[in-house]
């Protein structure tokens, strides 16, 4: 069983930065691959970034490469998403998710077993 709680969202101007955090319960955080997803108004939830259990491999959707960085701290049981050079198109509710799969996590939402409640990110133009 895993509980995930996102934080760090807010309002920022275009070109600014935010760091999202996802705090996980339990002592088995390092047994899960982790991902970030987002859902904008009127759109389906989409993949943003993912990271393997020990943080060796990361995976990003093309439109955030070079701007966003996913990382994790397995001592603090926390996942992060550093977002730089934010654009109005990044406005969405951001969700973290955990997968028990040993494969490199990616965009397939069906592979994720646990989800957080989401945190709102709003980027003004």
């Amino acid at each position: 069983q895993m509980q995930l709680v996102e934080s760090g969202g807010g309002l920022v101007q275009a070109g600014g930065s935010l760091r999202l955090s996802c705090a996980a319960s339990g002592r088995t955080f390092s047994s899960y691959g982790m991902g970030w997803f987002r859902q904008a108004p009127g759109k389906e939830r989409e993949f943003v970034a993912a990271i393997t259990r020990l943080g060796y491999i990361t995976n990003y959707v093309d439109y955030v490469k070079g701007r966003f960085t996913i990382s994790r701290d397995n001592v603090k049981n926390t996942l992060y998403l550093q977002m730089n050079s934010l654009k109005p198109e990044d406005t969405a509710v951001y969700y973290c998710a955990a997968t028990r799969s040993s494969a490199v996590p990616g965009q397939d939402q069906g592979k994720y077993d646990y989800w957080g409640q989401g945190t709102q990110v709003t980027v003004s133009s």
Side-chain angles (χ1 to χ4, degrees):
Q1 191 67 37
M2 173 78 73
Q3 293 187 57
L4 304 172
V5 180
E6 302 96 333
S7 62
L11 176 64
V12 64
Q13 291 185 326
S17 298
L18 285 173
R19 188 179 75 161
L20 305 184
S21 298
C22 174
S25 66
R27 61 177 182 174
T28 58
F29 180 61
S30 62
S31 297
Y32 296 86
M34 300 295 297
W36 285 101
F37 294 79
R38 67 187 185 186
Q39 186 168 22
K43 294 188 175 182
E44 296 183 358
R45 188 165 58 193
E46 64 183 8
F47 171 75
V48 177
I51 189 168
T52 52
R53 296 177 180 186
L54 299 181
Y56 293 132
I57 304 172
T58 56
N59 185 14
Y60 299 91
V61 70
D62 285 344
Y63 48 79
V64 307
K65 287 181 178 178
R67 299 191 298 122
F68 291 9
T69 302
I70 188 171
S71 62
R72 65 191 297 161
D73 187 332
N74 286 351
V75 175
K76 297 182 178 180
N77 284 3
T78 303
L79 174 75
Y80 302 98
L81 184 67
Q82 178 66 48
M83 305 185 295
N84 299 324
S85 301
L86 283 162
K87 304 175 181 180
E89 304 94 277
D90 296 317
T91 295
V93 176
Y94 283 71
Y95 300 88
C96 67
T99 175
R100 296 183 297 239
S101 175
S102 61
V104 176
Q107 65 182 8
D108 187 353
Q109 297 182 45
K111 299 295 185 181
Y112 292 84
D113 303 286
Y114 303 100
W115 295 82
Q117 83 292 337
T119 185
Q120 176 71 50
V121 172
T122 303
V123 184
S124 62
S125 59

